[in-house]
Amino acid sequence: MSLIIEDGTIVAGADSYQSLATARADASSRGLNLDADDNIAEQQLRQSYYYLTNTYENQMQGDRVSVDQTGFMPRSGMYAFGFSVSSDSIPDAFLKSQVSMASSINDGANVNQADTETQELASFNVDGVYSETYQDKSSSKSVLPKMPAVSQFLYPYTKAALNDGSGGLYREDYRLGCY
């Protein structure tokens, strides 16, 4: 099934911010990989599209421009690098984020994994050396995939960037692997 591309005009049923050809070109230029099978690569892009929306929307500046859009872009009231972002556009950073995330999925990140492990801290010690101890059957390993490139691309569009650190991506988000 071909990708339905959101180009900023609120495309009905959109499930990607870019075509497979565009995504492959970006991935290749940055040394990233999407699956060689076009159907699987398209699935990776769809998973990325929805994961971006579900994970990052509440951290973004502005608001959706229509109740009918399937993703969190385009948005009104968004600023980046000192400029207003057009409410009918999808900035390049969102395309790069989608490809980075799709590549992580290709490399084994599971964005659909249930949160069955918990990170329950039993103790924390700072006496000159950092130390953490976790409760039995708990782990320091995050169950959500960590994708720092995605957070780096999206940061200029977050509430944190607009408000000088008063919102958006928090230290706790990084600790929990929510990026």
Side-chain angles (χ1 to χ4, degrees):
M1 184 169 128
S2 294
L3 295 169
I4 302 170
I5 311 304
E6 174 58 71
D7 59 5
T9 62
I10 316 304
V11 175
D15 58 10
S16 182
Y17 291 120
Q18 61 196 303
S19 68
L20 180 57
T22 302
R24 284 198 187 283
D26 178 41
S28 176
S29 72
R30 293 192 290 138
L32 302 175
N33 295 305
L34 300 178
D35 198 276
D37 181 300
D38 286 352
N39 291 324
I40 294 173
E42 286 181 350
Q43 290 170 356
Q44 293 167 341
L45 287 169
R46 279 188 198 93
Q47 287 176 338
S48 299
Y49 178 84
Y50 291 115
Y51 191 78
L52 281 169
T53 297
N54 294 334
T55 303
Y56 290 93
E57 182 165 22
N58 65 341
Q59 300 163 14
M60 292 295 121
Q61 301 168 30
D63 300 293
R64 289 183 183 209
V65 297
S66 170
V67 70
D68 296 322
Q69 66 192 87
T70 58
F72 69 110
M73 289 300 291
R75 297 179 83 72
S76 62
M78 183 177 267
Y79 294 83
F81 308 107
F83 298 94
S84 175
V85 176
S86 176
S87 64
D88 63 353
S89 70
I90 311 296
D92 188 59
F94 291 85
L95 304 180
K96 291 195 178 320
S97 294
Q98 184 182 18
V99 170
S100 294
M101 189 173 288
S103 177
S104 291
I105 292 168
N106 187 59
D107 292 342
N110 184 353
V111 296
N112 294 311
Q113 182 174 348
D115 188 1
T116 57
E117 292 183 42
T118 58
Q119 296 181 331
E120 297 176 27
L121 196 60
S123 67
F124 176 83
N125 182 3
V126 180
D127 294 326
V129 177
Y130 178 80
S131 168
E132 288 182 352
T133 306
Y134 291 86
Q135 295 179 9
D136 289 343
K137 298 185 182 178
S138 183
S139 169
S140 63
K141 181 181 175 203
S142 175
V143 296
L144 297 173
K146 295 185 178 185
M147 300 173 213
V150 173
S151 293
Q152 291 165 357
F153 281 122
L154 295 181
Y155 181 80
Y157 303 89
T158 65
K159 295 171 189 171
L162 182 64
N163 297 323
D164 244 2
S166 63
L169 301 174
Y170 296 97
R171 183 178 130 306
E172 289 79 15
D173 293 331
Y174 290 95
R175 175 152 173 72
L176 293 175
C178 298
Y179 62 114

